[in-house]
Amino acid sequence: METDSCTFYFEDANANRKKLFAKALLHAKDGKVLYILAEELNELPVLSQDLSSINKHYMKMVTFMYVKSLDSLIESISALQDWQSIPSTIILDDLSAYCNKNDLQNACGIVALLQDSTKCCSNLLKGTCRLFISVPKGIVGEDYCNMLKELYC
């Protein structure tokens, strides 16, 4: 049985967000989804599917967590195993928001912590926990994206 998985999205920020939001709604059918952002959304991404046709119960399964700083992100992720409602999907929208440009060391630390949290959630759920991370390609560069894929996928 697969216990966890990690997928990166390396497109522009808007394309990444559309894909992540679609993943959030898709995986909300399987359990709680934690969607982490650096800033509050002003509007939901435009999807190929009309939001009015999506079961409102699935939207309730998605928890948006707005985390502005790296320290707050680390603190929030570290406390996941103490939550009453453990997520079966964790989404980080824009890894670069928590790293200096091309700062692979910070990025690797964040991804490693997210993967550890995903494994912990998988163990607590006795099932699969998925991790989706977006990194705007134009901000960090293709070499950086390829290195993250090699290290964590």
Side-chain angles (χ1 to χ4, degrees):
M1 173 176 68
E2 179 187 7
T3 57
D4 60 292
S5 65
C6 178
T7 305
F8 285 95
Y9 292 95
F10 298 111
E11 296 181 31
D12 68 77
N14 289 333
N16 283 342
R17 184 162 287 156
K18 281 182 186 180
K19 288 182 179 182
L20 292 178
F21 195 76
K23 288 290 183 185
L25 294 174
L26 174 70
H27 291 292
K29 297 173 185 176
D30 301 328
K32 295 282 185 182
V33 175
L34 175 61
Y35 197 115
I36 305 167
L37 301 115
E39 296 178 3
E40 289 190 42
L41 290 174
N42 293 327
E43 61 186 11
L44 295 175
V46 177
L47 301 175
S48 58
Q49 183 179 6
D50 182 18
L51 283 175
S52 63
S53 69
I54 295 171
N55 186 326
K56 292 189 185 346
H57 174 72
Y58 298 139
M59 283 296 293
K60 292 177 183 177
M61 299 295 284
V62 180
T63 300
F64 291 94
M65 178 186 288
Y66 301 104
V67 184
K68 294 183 184 247
S69 69
L70 176 58
D71 290 339
S72 296
L73 178 65
I74 291 169
E75 185 178 313
S76 299
I77 293 169
S78 298
L80 276 178
Q81 67 271 10
D82 298 330
W83 286 23
Q84 286 184 332
S85 184
I86 304 297
S88 61
T89 302
I90 301 170
I91 297 173
L92 179 65
D93 189 311
D94 193 358
L95 175 63
S96 69
Y98 303 100
C99 305
N100 295 326
K101 188 174 181 180
N102 290 318
D103 189 349
L104 187 61
Q105 185 176 359
N106 274 357
C108 288
I110 294 166
V111 174
L113 180 59
L114 283 165
Q115 283 192 312
D116 285 347
S117 295
T118 302
K119 286 178 183 176
C120 181
C121 290
S122 292
N123 290 337
L124 292 169
L125 294 169
K126 295 179 176 54
T128 301
C129 184
R130 293 166 197 84
L131 174 61
F132 298 99
I133 302 171
S134 74
V135 183
K137 192 173 190 175
I139 292 175
V140 296
E142 191 169 347
D143 290 342
Y144 182 89
C145 296
N146 290 333
M147 192 169 298
L148 283 172
K149 275 186 194 175
E150 288 174 23
L151 287 169
Y152 295 105
C153 293

